[in-house]
Amino acid sequence: MKLINTFATELPWACEPVVPQPLREPRLLHLNRGLLAELGLEGVSDTDWLACCGLGQQLPGMQPVAQVYAGHQFGGYSPRLGDGRALLLGEQLTTDGQRWDLHLKGAGKTPFSRFGDGRAVLRSSIREYLASEALHALGIPSTRALVLVGSKEPVYREQEETGATVLRTAPSHLRFGHIEYFAWSGQGEKIPALIDYLLRYHFPEQENGAELFAEVVRRTARLIAKWQAAGFCHGVLNTDNMSLLGLTLDYGPYGFIDAYVPDFVCNHSDPDGRYALDQQPAVGYWNLQKLAQALAGHVDGDALATSLAQYEHQLMLHYSELMRAKLGLTQWEEEDPALFRQLFQLLASQGVDYHLFLRRLGEVTGKGEWPVSLLALLPDPAIWQGWLELYRVRLTREGSEDAVRKAQMDAINPKYVLRNALAQQAIDAAESGDMTPFERLLAALQQPYDEQPEYADLATPVPQWYCGGELSCSS
């Protein structure tokens, strides 16, 4: 193993060197061995990973830096944010020519920590680890998790917790906020170098800034369409949490919906619902507008406007494709929006579990009784008869074959979803020293579409004991 450092060496004015700070009595909790092998890092020992992620010791080639960026947070501009508790350790170049950032979260104070301690807690670290791997397994672009380290380091949030680190990876952690920082800090002359860096290392198929922005729009639209179809709410869609590569980035108070709630809010710091589930498409567009404004003067204005105008179409096109697939429909019809709208109205009014409904809908056949498992989810099955009959007529019109359709629906409607209740159970156990629930949940989430009968207890509706829905930004 020997890392490279193109970001630190080519863009030194976009980062600050920082030495990681050791944790008190660190312990290695998990290694993502499969992903480490994919990145060519399987030869690094457990001892070395613990030393790197828990004791602040650098492995060959590491050149830790904290990146600087800005961002619009809840609609207001914050001129200087940056990596306040995370460090880019370096980049791993794989044998097929791909490059992957190694980014350590919870490594201690940086010049951008402001009044923070630069730490992450075990609770939030477990949540990020589980969520990033869960979304990846669902086919949703995301950063990935490599290493989880716990400790006895006291860290204070709403209460005293223990410190932890997550080593995460992605082709790049560049954000909308990187461009914004240099645009609005009087350093606009550096933006062309950022664009050139992105084109050379991450967008080789694009030739200039205009094409780059068009691709960012496309990736952002498709990412948010996938979130909406999966019932995933990010919770803090500030521009500094928006990836230029179209990845799910920075897991805080995220949440998958349980019962279908279109305006679901998972962040208790968002009382107005700016980042509610049903607001994510509009927020994505707003954030892209801010990115376009930061690029103005370096990219043709008409080209920026043309790309922005494509956002809604691209998002809705992909979302419609996903929802038709989730319903087992293979053909587009003009009645699709009405069919979807009526379904969502029923799900919301009846408080039906979104994920289990779609999974069990695959058991519907062209004739005969409705599946008992599906009816068991519905508080008042009689209210559903009209929609179910319309759905069955639609399947008949398509010539749908029951077994084929069920297999296709099972391949896109997960049986295992990272519900906050399940994450909390894993966290509670881990904080008591038991990583078994974490290991079981992670294993189930890595194959979310398979039956996996050994994990059937993780595929049930949200338990009655769980009353939490909103989390804090410190999550």
Side-chain angles (χ1 to χ4, degrees), residues 309-329:
Q310 291 297 311
Y311 170 79
E312 182 178 4
H313 171 74
Q314 293 178 14
L315 187 149
M316 291 307 300
L317 179 64
H318 190 47
Y319 177 71
S320 296
E321 292 171 347
L322 291 170
M323 290 309 303
R324 276 196 299 277
K326 290 176 83 67
L327 295 182
L329 305 177

Side-chain angles (χ1 to χ4, degrees), residues 85-167:
R85 57 175 176 171
L87 298 176
L88 174 60
L89 302 181
E91 303 147 54
Q92 170 71 353
L93 190 63
T94 61
T95 55
D96 60 359
Q98 296 186 46
R99 63 187 62 240
W100 292 84
D101 282 1
L102 297 190
H103 206 252
L104 185 63
K105 190 171 183 178
K109 288 186 177 181
T110 80
F112 313 113
S113 296
R114 291 172 289 177
F115 300 106
D117 56 18
R119 291 300 189 189
V121 297
L122 180 60
R123 167 179 52 86
S124 65
S125 301
I126 285 177
R127 282 178 53 81
E128 173 151 356
Y129 203 108
L130 289 171
S132 58
E133 291 306 289
L135 262 68
H136 173 73
L138 291 172
I140 301 175
S142 173
T143 57
R144 302 285 306 279
L146 282 170
V147 183
L148 175 65
V149 168
S151 77
K152 292 187 178 181
E153 182 89 17
V155 177
Y156 299 90
R157 295 296 182 259
E158 284 84 357
Q159 58 187 9
E160 182 177 318
E161 302 184 53
T162 56
T165 60
V166 172
L167 182 63

